[in-house]
Amino acid sequence: MRRWLGAVVALGMLGGCEPLDGGGGGTTGDVLFTQGFAFVRSDRNIYVVDDDGDPNSPQRLTTSGGAYTPSISRDGTSIVFVQKVGTTTSLQTVPTTGGTVATLLSSNDAACGACTNFRGPTFSPDGRTIVFAFDRGAGSNSSLARINVNGSGFTELTPGTTISYGAPSFFPSGNTVVAPAGNNTFQYNQLAFVPAAGGSPTYVSLGNEVLAIANRAVVSPDGRQVALDGRLSSGSTRIFVGNVSATGLSGTLRRLTDYTASTVQESFPSWVGSTTLGFLFNDSGGDPSIYRAPVSSTASSVTLAVPSANEPFYGPI
């Protein structure tokens, strides 16, 4: 039986929703992972919780800390994430059921030259490659690259760029990725549509309400919508959804929720299905948790999914 932590709550009540777990813990989990959320906690380890499991008892997959932005493969068997140790970053994988952690690529490896600060890795739909963002030398613009899942075949997708790129997301065809883009990593004010095999990107502006993308833009499983965490003029971030094709946006972005408190931060969207999003919610600097909300033409109520969690990613879908 699928266990939820709370009933649907009114948006105005979100600030009063308290997580049931203080964070930082974790067990071996009570249900074998097949579908659900991967995330990190305050100890910077990777956790998973299956949809049929207890969100208060996630399974911890790593123990050394330093983990960021996990992403689940389309077959649900593997997670790729960024590992940070000092100034060194690496791309690592771990099975969703637990097991050996494998390092695919480290910053400044000969394969990629002066590459640093890996961000936002994601699996291709066929599970054969991983695309991620990285910096090329100190103070340079960031770029996108592709590697095979065994760590071989490093290929820069946006060489010689004067534009910076954030965490990429694949369209279902696997032929195109969409990524936040801008003049620097602090101002992703565009969406870039980049051929996964290499080629010239197409850039699309975000409209008037969203000043920049805070962390990620993700394509829905059917390839018809994109969700992103947009930074507003107030300094808050909100989840926005728009219609999309492999070449651009169609129409204006719309908010997922109508929660208006300036202290609220909504970030790290992840599709739970073609009509539902999971995302990170944080109010007044408290402990962030994962919520779910249906995607529709009007803002809707939300449901608490996993307490004390950060940088969520749902899969497989």
Side-chain angles (χ1 to χ4, degrees):
M1 178 179 181
R2 191 167 292 181
R3 285 169 283 184
W4 298 103
L5 293 177
V8 173
V9 294
L11 289 168
M13 296 293 289
L14 275 177
C17 289
E18 294 295 331
L20 304 182
D21 187 306
T27 68
T28 57
D30 59 345
V31 174
L32 185 67
F33 182 86
T34 58
Q35 185 177 45
F37 285 102
F39 54 93
V40 298
R41 281 188 156 179
S42 57
D43 61 357
R44 282 287 156 189
N45 282 304
I46 303 294
Y47 292 80
V48 291
V49 61
D50 191 84
D51 280 349
D52 290 328
D54 182 357
N56 289 291
S57 183
Q59 181 180 2
R60 184 172 59 192
L61 302 182
T62 66
T63 58
S64 59
Y68 291 80
T69 57
S71 177
I72 303 173
S73 62
R74 297 297 175 92
D75 65 2
T77 63
S78 183
I79 290 174
V80 62
F81 62 97
V82 173
Q83 179 79 16
K84 295 184 180 181
V85 179
T87 59
T88 299
T89 59
S90 60
L91 295 181
Q92 299 188 352
T93 58
V94 63
T96 52
T97 53
T100 302
V101 175
T103 299
L104 307 183
L105 184 74
S106 293
S107 55
N108 297 316
D109 276 359
C112 66
C115 58
T116 61
N117 193 22
F118 299 159
R119 299 183 303 285
T122 187
F123 287 97
S124 62
D126 63 11
R128 295 179 179 178
T129 60
I130 294 166
V131 173
F132 59 99
F134 72 100
D135 292 346
R136 176 70 78 186
S140 65
N141 288 315
S142 58
S143 189
L144 296 179
R146 182 186 72 240
I147 62 169
N148 298 322
V149 293
N150 63 2
S152 67
F154 175 89
T155 302
E156 189 169 356
L157 298 181
T158 52
T161 181
T162 58
I163 297 293
S164 289
Y165 297 88
S169 174
F170 274 92
F171 277 84
S173 67
N175 296 327
T176 305
V177 297
V178 63
N183 292 329
N184 57 68
T185 56
F186 303 102
Q187 191 67 19
Y188 293 134
N189 58 0
Q190 303 173 73
L191 283 174
F193 296 79
V194 183
S200 299
T202 300
Y203 302 98
V204 177
S205 62
L206 302 174
N208 295 326
E209 187 175 11
V210 178
L211 299 183
I213 300 171
N215 294 291
R216 73 166 58 136
V218 286
V219 180
S220 62
D222 60 10
R224 296 180 178 180
Q225 299 184 91
V226 65
L228 55 88
D229 44 4
R231 184 176 295 115
L232 310 180
S233 58
S234 65
S236 295
T237 59
R238 294 289 186 273
I239 304 300
F240 287 80
V241 181
N243 297 328
V244 73
S245 69
T247 57
L249 289 170
S250 175
T252 59
L253 296 169
R254 61 190 186 276
R255 292 197 194 190
L256 180 69
T257 76
D258 60 5
Y259 200 56
T260 58
S262 60
T263 55
V264 166
Q265 306 291 335
E266 300 171 354
S267 59
F268 288 98
S270 183
W271 290 92
V272 177
S274 291
T275 58
T276 306
L277 279 166
F279 64 99
L280 196 68
F281 179 89
N282 193 3
D283 191 6
S284 303
D287 200 17
S289 299
I290 304 171
Y291 285 78
R292 297 187 191 218
V295 175
S296 63
S297 58
T298 58
S300 59
S301 56
V302 302
T303 304
L304 178 61
V306 183
S308 303
N310 208 339
E311 300 169 11
F313 191 96
Y314 186 89
I317 50 176

